[in-house]
Amino acid sequence: MAGKKVLIVYAHQEPKSFNGSLLKIAVEELTKQGCSVTVSDLYAMQFEPRATRNDIVGHLHNSEAFNYGVEIWEAYKRGGLSKDLVEEQKKVQEADLLIFQFPLFWFNMPAILKGWMDRVLVQGFAYDLSKACDCGLLQDKLSLFSFTTGGSKEKYAIRGDIRYLLWPMQHGIMHFCGVKVLEPHICYAPEHASEEKRKEMLTAWTQRLKTLWKEKPIDCSPEWYFK
């Protein structure tokens, strides 16, 4: 939709990968729609995933016992976050839609993407303990988790509904911060699929993006994940 701003946080090492193809399609299709698209390519940026003292510029609130949660909140309030965090927070603040593109690692997002969540979505900026979920600080934003798996859809069905894995990502992070969540886009086992099937997956992603702005967010309740 023309005028909308999109941030794609991309976590894959190889531009020629299937995830890279999904990223390219998203950038091209959303740009074609008139959206302003920004990409945070975490591996290319050499994004630091570790939450450390280096995230805080200047003095510590308590120099005798380092508590990251307390220190990062205090630093945010006084404008004392490191430059890389300020830049990523600005991208988030300006975005109408956040797309997270990644391969599923051990039933979770890659460590570099989890580090982005840990360091960027800090208290005061993304959430406040008294204003969470529907009252969260990042209201009026949409999010979409687009990811690939190593196993087939059938194998995941045997192990349990893949929605279980999405609870900490979609509900524990996005919904907690007030962000509305769109249905995830899952490409099952592209590395083991035929070339024809891979093309079908890419086409399906293209088609979904064409009508993405018409979609309604999921019901962020335990029932959606565990029914």
Side-chain angles (χ1 to χ4, degrees):
M1 185 182 294
K4 293 289 188 180
K5 293 186 177 182
V6 182
L7 170 61
I8 305 177
V9 185
Y10 173 69
H12 197 288
Q13 307 92 330
E14 176 51 64
K16 297 177 184 177
S17 66
F18 194 80
N19 273 270
S21 296
L22 293 167
L23 170 66
K24 183 179 179 182
I25 287 172
V27 172
E28 291 177 353
E29 177 57 36
L30 291 169
T31 300
K32 192 185 303 181
Q33 294 175 20
C35 299
S36 174
V37 183
T38 300
V39 178
S40 283
D41 185 340
L42 300 186
Y43 284 103
M45 293 161 58
Q46 296 186 326
F47 185 82
E48 170 59 75
R50 296 172 298 175
T52 70
R53 167 69 174 85
N54 294 331
D55 294 347
I56 297 138
V57 177
H59 69 273
L60 292 177
H61 179 68
N62 182 353
S63 59
E64 295 184 5
F66 184 73
N67 182 316
Y68 185 83
V70 171
E71 295 297 344
I72 205 74
W73 184 27
E74 293 293 335
Y76 174 76
K77 288 190 290 185
R78 62 176 170 78
L81 296 182
S82 59
K83 182 182 177 182
D84 60 335
L85 298 190
V86 173
E87 290 175 350
E88 292 304 299
Q89 288 178 351
K90 185 173 185 292
K91 296 175 189 176
V92 172
Q93 195 65 60
E94 293 178 348
D96 298 294
L97 169 65
L98 308 171
I99 296 178
F100 300 98
Q101 182 64 60
F102 60 95
L104 199 67
F105 286 176
W106 288 114
F107 285 15
N108 210 327
M109 64 184 78
I112 197 168
L113 178 53
K114 180 56 166 60
W116 184 93
M117 301 280 186
D118 292 345
R119 296 181 63 228
V120 175
L121 304 180
V122 301
Q123 186 174 359
F125 168 72
Y127 72 94
D128 186 290
L129 297 179
S130 64
K131 297 177 181 178
C133 298
D134 293 336
C135 299
L137 300 183
L138 297 182
Q139 294 180 60
D140 302 321
K141 296 185 187 298
L142 294 170
S143 64
L144 191 162
F145 285 81
S146 172
F147 60 93
T148 59
T149 70
S152 65
K153 189 172 184 178
E154 293 73 23
K155 287 189 175 180
Y156 273 92
I158 294 171
R159 296 165 183 155
D161 197 318
I162 199 167
R163 289 187 177 192
Y164 301 164
L165 311 182
L166 295 168
W167 172 260
M169 302 184 215
Q170 294 184 165
H171 187 82
I173 302 176
M174 289 295 107
H175 182 56
F176 185 79
C177 295
V179 182
K180 295 179 177 65
V181 180
L182 297 176
E183 190 83 23
H185 196 85
I186 309 171
C187 292
Y188 288 95
E191 286 191 13
H192 306 294
S194 65
E195 188 61 29
E196 181 181 357
K197 183 63 178 176
R198 287 162 63 91
K199 287 180 180 178
E200 289 177 5
M201 291 181 189
L202 295 176
T203 299
W205 179 227
T206 303
Q207 292 304 313
R208 183 179 179 188
L209 289 167
K210 290 181 184 299
T211 57
L212 193 66
W213 299 105
K214 297 179 181 180
E215 292 187 15
K216 292 184 178 180
I218 65 169
D219 172 24
C220 276
S221 66
E223 288 72 27
W224 187 89
Y225 296 91
F226 304 111
K227 64 183 177 181

